[in-house]
């Protein structure tokens, strides 16, 4: 099957230009002007007219939680519904977090996540590994996972009693990645101190979701971020901070990078477009409970600056959807029991196009960089993914930068009963989405198939080591 995309503007992280793209099977075969020559039928079976549209590499969301068990329930999107929703929003690859349960092996956790995804995902997927126990056995297992294409490991200074690791455990895991080429990803909040403050907050009679936002001080994200960066410095390894939300954490990353350290970080749309105020409307605020929490709006300017200056390299979603009815309401009367996480995998590209490019905060090339190319490079997928180049996977989006749409739970494809952005009008939308050469979304219709998505066996984070 050969598909020709004509008359589009190719937008990459490095620049933009007008050209046609010829896809042969699953990969990009040719890029150039007037490829049709004697007529599109001569070289292609299908032609997509991209006049007035962008042709961009498919979005890559390196932080999702399909079916994550959390707080006595599980995130609602499966690999089928989640990758389908992602595709509608122009994201053609996800990297999800497999979970090692306490007392079990990494292998068991990874196998369980393979079983959830294989035969179900409609677009490609990879895995990071959440390590709940760092011990001699799991440290040894890390080497095998790196070799089989799961080269990064998320550890937590948050969630005591669940995912929390102490500094010694984190340092041991970092030392291991110095030898095996893996990358440590850190959820950096001081969970021990936060639990004390959360108890004080409950004791003071604040039980609504706003308590979650008030108790998780931003300074405790800054402290933990600096601490894990310094642990990585001591171990001589790069480190990647996930879901960075706070000015203090941004300062810690910027300071480290100014010193020349290989510290990397992502933020998420919720920290750029939502704020602590969203958590204040009684129990409705449960819709916005995630960790780190939404911050006062004045933190956002620092995050945008970080994205412009490359102190933040990636925007991922931390997509972790729980219904408001029946899941979030487990926390009525005690905000600590609200399952942590927000839906977002479908809206990332459009929110960032609208609030970033259209709003004049970032260029369209930077938009492609932070949503596709940088994640591909940092997470061992480049140039198969994250590029519009001959030989790359034909994961492509024909993107209309002018079309407006209204975000709503009534029309979204994520398997969750609310939207954090209900009623927000965004400019920019995906018209046609291709995954490895197959059209999986066209003009608002899903045309892909369950099981089309393949496991992405990823390389080690060499880009992070060369930075
Ligand atoms: O609130 C969040 N972020 N839920 C998902 C788990 C995590 O910490 O990433
Ligand atoms: Zn986290
Ligand atoms: Zn997460």
């Amino acid at each position: 099957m050969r598909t020709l995309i004509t008359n589009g503007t190719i937008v990459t992280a490095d620049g933009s230009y007008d050209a046609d793209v010829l896809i042969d099977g699953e990969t990009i075969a040719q890029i150039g002007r007037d490829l049709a020559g004697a007529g599109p039928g001569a070289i292609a079976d299908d032609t997509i007219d991209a006049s007035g549209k962008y042709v961009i590499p498919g979005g890559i969301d390196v932080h999702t939680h399909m079916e994550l068990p959390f707080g006595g329930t599980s995130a609602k999107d499966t690999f089928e519904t989640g990758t389908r929703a992602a595709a509608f929003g122009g994201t053609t690859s996800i990297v999800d977090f497999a979970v090692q349960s306490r007392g079990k092996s990494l292998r068991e956790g990874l196998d369980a996540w393979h079983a959830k995804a294989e035969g179900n995902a409609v677009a490609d997927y990879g895995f990071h590994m959440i390590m709940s126990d760092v011990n001699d056995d799991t440290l040894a297992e890390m080497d095998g996972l790196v070799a089989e294409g799961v080269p990064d490991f998320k550890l937590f200074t948050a969630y005591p009693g669940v995912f929390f690791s102490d500094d010694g455990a984190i340092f041991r895991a970092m030392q291991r990645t110095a030898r095996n080429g893996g990358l440590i990803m850190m959820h950096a909040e001081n969970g021990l101190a936060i639990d004390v403050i959360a108890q004080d907050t409950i004791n003071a009679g604040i039980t609504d979701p706003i308590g979650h936002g008030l108790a998780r001080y931003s300074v405790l994200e800054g402290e933990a971020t600096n601490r894990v960066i310094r642990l990585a410095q001591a171990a001589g390894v790069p480190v990647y901070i996930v879901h960075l939300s706070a000015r203090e954490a941004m300062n810690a990353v910027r300071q480290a990078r100014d010193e020349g350290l290989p510290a990397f970080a992502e933020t998420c749309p919720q920290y750029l477009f939502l704020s602590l105020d969203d958590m204040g409307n009684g129990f409705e605020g449960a819709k916005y409970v995630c960790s780190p929490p939404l911050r006062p709006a004045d933190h956002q300017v620092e995050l945008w600056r970080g994205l412009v200056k490359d102190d933040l390299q990636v925007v991922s979603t931390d997509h972790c959807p729980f219904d408001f009815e029946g899941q979030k309401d487990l926390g009525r009367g005690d905000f600590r029991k609200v399952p942590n996480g927000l839906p977002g995998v479908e809206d990332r590209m459009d929110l960032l196009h609208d609030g970033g490019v259209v709003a004049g905060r970032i260029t369209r090339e930077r938009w492609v960089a932070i949503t596709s190319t940088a994640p591909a490079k940092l997470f061992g997928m480049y140039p198969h993914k994250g590029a519009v180049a001959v030989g790359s996977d034909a994961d492509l989006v024909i993107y209309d930068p002018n079309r407006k749409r209204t975000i709503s739970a009534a029309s979204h494809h994520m398997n969750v009963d609310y939207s954090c952005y209900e009623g927000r009008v965004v400019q920019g939308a995906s018209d046609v989405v291709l995954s490895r050469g197959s059209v999986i979304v066209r003009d608002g219709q899903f045309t892909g198939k369950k099981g089309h998505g393949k496991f992405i066996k990823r390389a080690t984070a060499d880009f992070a080591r060369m930075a």
Side-chain angles (χ1 to χ4, degrees):
M1 172 80 180
R2 285 157 74 94
T3 305
L4 182 65
I5 303 171
T6 56
N7 302 317
T9 299
I10 297 176
V11 181
T12 74
D14 298 323
S16 304
Y17 57 98
D18 294 342
D20 300 342
V21 180
L22 180 67
I23 299 161
D24 191 356
E26 298 198 342
T27 54
I28 297 173
Q30 234 183 306
I31 300 173
R33 291 278 174 95
D34 300 322
L35 291 184
I43 63 164
D45 311 293
D46 185 19
T47 301
I48 302 169
D49 180 16
S51 302
K53 314 279 168 69
Y54 297 159
V55 180
I56 59 171
I60 301 176
D61 189 344
V62 290
H63 191 148
T64 68
H65 299 284
M66 305 306 169
E67 304 177 48
L68 175 75
F70 196 107
T73 185
S74 286
K76 270 199 78 196
D77 266 318
T78 62
F79 277 83
E80 181 185 1
T81 63
T83 53
R84 191 167 166 272
F88 273 101
T91 289
T92 53
S93 302
I94 62 165
V95 186
D96 202 84
F97 287 84
V99 179
Q100 177 228 352
S101 307
R102 283 237 152 114
K104 304 252 175 78
S105 63
L106 302 188
R107 174 87 272 145
E108 284 169 276
L110 182 58
D111 285 350
W113 255 256
H114 272 296
K116 291 175 203 269
E118 199 180 336
N120 291 314
V122 310
D124 292 352
Y125 58 91
F127 296 120
H128 317 285
M129 190 79 222
I130 286 178
M131 283 180 84
S132 304
D133 292 316
V134 177
N135 56 43
D136 290 346
D137 293 336
T138 56
L139 285 166
E141 278 193 282
M142 287 171 82
D143 303 354
L145 264 62
V146 171
E148 61 187 81
V150 181
D152 7 79
F153 304 87
K154 182 179 178 191
L155 289 104
F156 297 73
T157 59
Y159 307 136
V162 188
F163 294 134
F164 174 86
S165 288
D166 66 23
D167 291 355
I170 293 166
F171 190 65
R172 289 186 81 197
M174 287 175 168
Q175 285 180 318
R176 195 81 188 194
T177 60
R179 294 198 287 275
N180 66 24
L183 178 67
I184 297 296
M185 310 171 75
M186 288 301 315
H187 178 138
E189 290 183 285
N190 188 324
L192 295 171
I194 285 169
D195 276 7
V196 174
I197 302 164
Q199 184 62 57
D200 292 347
T201 307
I202 293 280
N203 293 347
I206 301 173
T207 58
D208 268 348
I210 188 70
H212 177 86
L214 298 174
R216 302 184 84 93
Y217 294 178
S218 59
V219 69
L220 294 175
E221 186 184 339
E223 180 278 322
T225 302
N226 182 58
R227 178 159 36 106
V228 299
I229 288 172
R230 298 305 159 186
L231 290 172
Q233 179 181 16
V237 293
V239 65
Y240 180 91
I241 310 297
V242 296
H243 48 44
L244 187 149
S245 73
R247 173 189 299 113
E248 293 89 337
M250 191 68 267
N251 288 344
V253 172
R254 186 185 309 113
Q255 169 71 34
R257 291 179 64 83
D258 287 350
E259 292 171 28
L261 293 174
F264 302 92
E266 65 177 21
T267 189
C268 310
Q270 53 268 33
Y271 304 121
L272 295 165
F273 298 111
L274 302 172
S275 77
L276 186 62
D277 291 346
D278 291 296
M279 300 186 69
N281 184 18
F283 194 72
E284 279 287 303
K287 293 177 177 172
Y288 302 93
V289 167
C290 59
S291 294
L294 304 182
R295 301 297 184 189
D298 58 327
H299 288 247
Q300 292 169 0
V301 64
E302 304 289 344
L303 302 182
W304 282 109
R305 191 171 295 144
L307 285 170
V308 169
K309 303 232 175 222
D310 203 37
D311 289 321
L312 287 169
Q313 297 75 40
V314 172
V315 179
S316 61
T317 60
D318 197 6
H319 175 76
C320 191
F322 299 102
D323 274 345
F324 184 63
E325 302 287 342
Q327 292 191 296
K328 287 285 187 181
D329 55 15
L330 291 169
R332 274 190 200 277
D334 186 343
F335 63 78
R336 295 171 300 182
K337 298 192 175 135
V338 178
N340 284 202
L342 312 182
V345 75
E346 186 168 353
D347 298 321
R348 179 184 68 131
M349 302 292 288
D350 297 344
L351 283 167
L352 287 166
H353 181 267
D354 180 67
V357 182
V358 178
R361 290 181 169 119
I362 55 171
T363 63
R364 59 190 179 179
E365 290 80 14
R366 185 69 186 148
W367 169 62
V368 168
I370 61 181
T371 55
S372 181
T373 308
K377 288 183 174 176
L378 280 168
F379 291 96
M381 291 176 269
Y382 190 83
H384 302 293
K385 311 275 189 201
V388 182
V390 172
S392 293
D393 287 358
D395 289 357
L396 295 168
V397 177
I398 318 301
Y399 196 83
D400 184 342
N402 296 310
R403 180 151 66 89
K404 293 191 174 161
R405 72 176 184 99
T406 304
I407 298 178
S408 173
S411 53
H412 73 199
H413 302 86
M414 297 177 285
N415 185 24
V416 63
D417 65 0
Y418 74 97
S419 169
C420 293
Y421 306 98
E422 188 66 43
R424 185 184 289 241
V425 177
V426 285
Q427 181 180 327
S430 300
D431 280 358
V432 184
V433 179
L434 296 101
S435 164
R436 285 182 284 105
S438 297
V439 174
I440 60 171
V441 173
R442 197 171 199 157
D443 301 329
Q445 298 301 314
F446 180 66
T447 55
K449 63 174 193 298
K450 178 177 170 172
H452 164 83
K454 280 192 186 155
F455 171 64
I456 308 167
K457 184 176 178 202
R458 294 180 297 114
T460 50
D462 297 342
F463 276 92
R465 284 179 161 71
M466 285 172 210

